[in-house]
Amino acid sequence: MVVVTGQNKVSGNPDDAMSSSDAEDDFQEPATPTATQAGQALPLLPQQFPEVVPLNVGGMHFTTRLSTLRRYEDTMLAAMFSGRHYIPTDAEGRYFIDRDGTYFGDILNFLRSGDLPPRERVRSVYKEAQYYSIGPLLDSLEDIQPLKGEKVRQAFLGLMPYYKDHLERIIEIAKLRAMQRKARFAKLKVCVFKEEMPITPYECPHFNSLRFERSESETKLFEHHCEVDVSFGPWEAVADVYDLLHCIVTDLSARGITVDHQCIGVCDKHLINHYYCKRPIYEFKITWW
């Protein structure tokens, strides 16, 4: 007879007891799990957040309600504070977000009451709204200035072939010339023309008819590249040459480049018969320091 005590001790006749090999087949005492095994076996519980949430966003401190952070379901903030992800805390117990907090207050104000930032901060807040994937805020910002005007401007620039490539060419040429001359600035010639067909002043009334009456062979006679560094055009839109010049200067300035420009005349190259190229030529001055 085998007697099992509370301590699992076995006593009795040796002949009645199981052999060690048989015991191993029926029962093996589990080994003590390691820390790694325990971590794998016991998944982390969902993180619990208080109703009032203290935040540390890149060193700037904020306090808001948990419901504010979860206002819109399809946002990064709602996902971060859903309990499905672990958010680290700083020494004071604030939940830490590793992001510049300069415009986070504007993000919270929109989540709280739908307030939009002043115009001078719209572009910066828009970038933060993109990072946090706050769709309603992105839509609201796109409907006000300056982003609404930027959408119109980009629609115009979409008509311009190789616009961004031409901007890069302006920068590269100006940099190369300044380095070669060891100079503080560099100058280059830029042609900006809206109409593709060259004309002379006294033939303007016949422009439309002449444009469509040319044969393919005659059209080749008017193919012409002005002797400039970069050429923009043609395009079909109400916006004129001065509008495009404004876009060029604006986009170069946005990259920290100081640029001045002035019209220095027209190409005026003779093409055929009484036709001359009348595309305006501008001198761009890029100052590097």
Side-chain angles (χ1 to χ4, degrees):
M1 179 177 181
V2 179
V3 179
V4 181
T5 66
Q7 288 77 25
N8 293 330
K9 292 182 180 180
V10 180
S11 61
N13 195 321
D15 294 335
D16 296 333
M18 293 184 296
S19 66
S20 61
S21 61
D22 293 337
E24 289 177 357
D25 292 339
D26 293 341
F27 175 78
Q28 291 184 355
E29 184 178 357
T32 302
T34 64
T36 303
Q37 292 172 334
Q40 295 174 346
L42 300 175
L44 293 174
L45 296 175
Q47 191 171 12
Q48 301 295 320
F49 297 101
E51 181 60 29
V52 177
V53 182
L55 299 170
N56 179 344
V57 185
M60 300 183 68
H61 302 158
F62 303 89
T63 304
T64 189
R65 292 174 63 91
L66 181 61
S67 59
T68 299
L69 297 172
R70 297 175 176 176
R71 175 80 62 185
Y72 299 103
E73 294 181 359
D74 298 331
T75 67
M76 180 184 292
L77 288 174
M80 291 172 65
F81 291 90
S82 64
R84 300 189 304 269
H85 306 281
Y86 175 74
I87 309 298
T89 57
D90 62 12
E92 282 72 34
R94 301 183 183 92
Y95 294 97
F96 181 72
I97 300 176
D98 193 10
R99 182 76 176 175
D100 187 351
T102 303
Y103 303 101
F104 191 76
D106 293 302
I107 298 293
L108 286 181
N109 286 337
F110 177 81
L111 295 177
R112 288 165 177 156
S113 54
D115 292 343
L116 297 177
R119 178 171 179 171
E120 62 270 15
R121 295 208 299 268
V122 165
R123 293 183 186 274
S124 299
V125 175
Y126 187 82
K127 292 181 180 180
E128 294 304 297
Q130 287 179 313
Y131 175 79
Y132 293 111
S133 301
I134 306 176
L137 177 54
L138 292 172
D139 293 339
S140 298
L141 293 175
E142 288 175 355
D143 284 337
I144 63 176
Q145 290 285 44
L147 294 184
K148 192 174 185 67
E150 181 62 18
K151 291 176 67 175
V152 176
R153 191 178 80 97
Q154 290 300 328
F156 162 58
L157 293 178
L159 303 174
M160 205 65 48
Y162 310 110
Y163 175 75
K164 293 184 179 180
D165 293 338
H166 291 338
L167 287 183
E168 294 297 331
R169 181 168 175 79
I170 288 176
I171 296 173
E172 289 301 318
I173 292 175
K175 181 176 68 174
L176 180 62
R177 288 180 180 172
M179 293 180 65
Q180 289 176 340
R181 297 176 57 246
K182 307 299 188 294
R184 189 168 66 95
F185 62 87
K187 295 180 180 180
L188 62 158
K189 292 181 179 180
V190 177
C191 178
V192 181
F193 64 101
K194 182 177 179 179
E195 305 293 349
E196 184 174 13
M197 176 178 154
I199 59 174
T200 55
Y202 57 88
E203 288 160 346
C204 285
H206 306 289
F207 173 79
N208 290 331
S209 61
L210 290 171
R211 180 176 184 178
F212 294 104
E213 289 176 358
R214 289 179 182 164
S215 65
E216 183 177 351
S217 59
E218 289 175 331
T219 301
K220 292 182 179 180
L221 296 175
F222 289 89
E223 291 181 354
H224 165 58
H225 298 284
C226 303
E227 296 180 358
V228 295
D229 297 297
V230 182
S231 185
F232 292 86
W235 67 89
E236 294 184 2
V238 175
D240 59 20
V241 169
Y242 299 102
D243 295 320
L244 182 58
L245 286 170
H246 181 272
C247 291
I248 296 172
V249 173
T250 297
D251 290 334
L252 290 175
S253 299
R255 300 180 59 172
I257 297 174
T258 302
V259 53
D260 296 302
H261 69 279
Q262 62 177 344
C263 183
I264 58 175
V266 296
C267 178
D268 206 27
K269 181 177 180 180
H270 179 254
L271 300 178
I272 182 175
N273 297 333
H274 46 268
Y275 284 98
Y276 294 82
C277 177
K278 294 298 180 182
R279 297 169 182 172
I281 307 298
Y282 294 84
E283 182 182 74
F284 274 54
K285 179 181 178 182
I286 307 293
T287 304
W288 290 107
W289 82 84

